[in-house]
Amino acid sequence: MILTIQQKTVRSPVRMRDLPLSTILETAKANNTKKRMRKSTKATHSYHPPNATIKSETLTYLRDVIIQYNLCPFASHPLRENNIKVATVRGSDDDFVAASIAYELAALSGEDVRGTTLLVAPEYYPDDFERYLRLVQCMEEDFMEEHELKGIVQIAPFHPKFRFEGSEEDDVDNFTNRSPYPMFHILREDEVAIAVKRLGGDASKVWGRNVRLLNAMEEKLGRGRVE
């Protein structure tokens, strides 16, 4: 889903723009192997809840909120086809989280790749949407631009404190993208285009319909049901 959100000029925290995509993929694979080896010998961080719980809660949120209320028409098909990957990255280190986003962007950009990825970052500033959004913007304006990924993949932000540009913090439209944890939803543009075509070529219809639905739910059931 293409969104209009708060915009700020920020400095990129990463130097991955200097690396080819193949190097990013290989480095990430090597780092994942090292992490597994470390975990087998000693504990690194005692993050809570554990990754399995994070993934389970994310899939529940996807099914019971996003798909049940059809807030994102791009989500139901890949879930039915078992083409949704839920990955986690722990901690709040800019470079580490950015490297994980870069890996998922690169992995989903291949010509024969299908599906979508939800990268969940529970500790990445869950109470500070502006701080989270800076990294989204850095990845879009720096990494994706440098590696010519725009038009191939996109990042849709989901966050517990999500706020659209021009909206007040408690405005009901923000709840269309409020999630249990900070998430980076990575989609393929060609699959988004197919879904938009089914909507008559106008993705803004989704946002308008969602706002009307949430307003009706709030009026009938109260704000607590919307939240």
Side-chain angles (χ1 to χ4, degrees):
M1 186 181 300
I2 300 173
L3 306 169
T4 301
I5 51 183
Q6 293 284 352
Q7 299 295 322
K8 286 190 176 181
T9 301
V10 294
R11 180 178 61 83
S12 173
V14 293
R15 292 294 305 275
M16 289 175 300
R17 61 181 299 168
D18 302 324
L19 300 176
L21 293 181
S22 59
T23 300
I24 292 167
L25 288 168
E26 291 303 319
T27 300
K29 289 178 182 177
N31 287 342
N32 286 338
T33 300
K34 290 177 181 177
K35 282 195 295 182
R36 286 194 295 269
M37 292 175 65
R38 287 198 301 269
K39 287 179 181 178
S40 67
T41 57
K42 63 179 181 178
T44 52
H45 292 283
S46 299
Y47 289 119
H48 183 80
N51 287 345
T53 301
I54 297 293
K55 292 181 180 180
S56 176
E57 291 177 350
T58 298
L59 287 171
T60 298
Y61 162 74
L62 184 64
R63 294 190 187 99
D64 294 352
V65 178
I66 299 298
I67 292 178
Q68 179 178 340
Y69 295 105
N70 198 30
L71 296 180
C72 179
F74 318 132
S76 58
H77 179 71
L79 183 64
R80 287 196 307 268
E81 298 294 321
N82 197 28
N83 258 345
I84 289 184
K85 173 184 177 181
V86 178
T88 58
V89 55
R90 309 309 295 256
S92 59
D93 180 77
D94 285 330
D95 287 345
F96 187 66
V97 175
S100 298
I101 300 170
Y103 171 75
E104 300 299 345
L105 285 167
L108 203 60
S109 66
E111 291 184 3
D112 298 327
V113 179
R114 293 292 177 268
T116 187
T117 298
L118 284 168
L119 179 61
V120 189
E123 293 82 32
Y124 196 73
Y125 301 100
D127 296 318
D128 190 346
F129 176 60
E130 294 296 331
R131 184 64 185 79
Y132 155 90
L133 187 58
R134 293 176 193 173
L135 184 57
V136 175
Q137 293 169 339
C138 285
M139 299 306 295
E140 291 175 337
E141 298 169 6
D142 189 350
F143 178 78
M144 290 178 64
E145 187 75 32
E146 180 70 18
H147 291 284
E148 299 180 345
L149 292 177
K150 290 191 174 182
I152 300 175
V153 288
Q154 64 170 263
I155 304 172
F158 286 81
H159 190 277
K161 302 291 185 180
F162 184 94
R163 181 163 63 91
F164 281 100
E165 184 176 19
S167 294
E168 298 297 327
E169 184 176 352
D170 291 330
D171 285 355
V172 72
D173 60 334
N174 298 318
F175 289 94
T176 63
N177 287 70
R178 287 194 177 171
S179 52
Y181 304 103
M183 302 180 188
F184 306 88
H185 186 191
I186 300 171
L187 308 99
R188 287 187 56 88
E189 290 278 12
D190 54 359
E191 296 187 5
V192 172
I194 292 172
V196 170
K197 187 175 181 180
R198 296 195 189 105
L199 298 171
D202 186 0
S204 66
K205 291 180 180 179
V206 177
W207 181 83
R209 177 262 177 197
N210 288 346
V211 172
R212 290 193 296 274
L213 171 65
L214 293 176
N215 276 322
M217 289 177 62
E218 181 180 27
E219 182 177 345
K220 185 176 182 179
L221 304 174
R223 172 54 67 97
R225 187 70 177 92
V226 174
E227 297 177 349

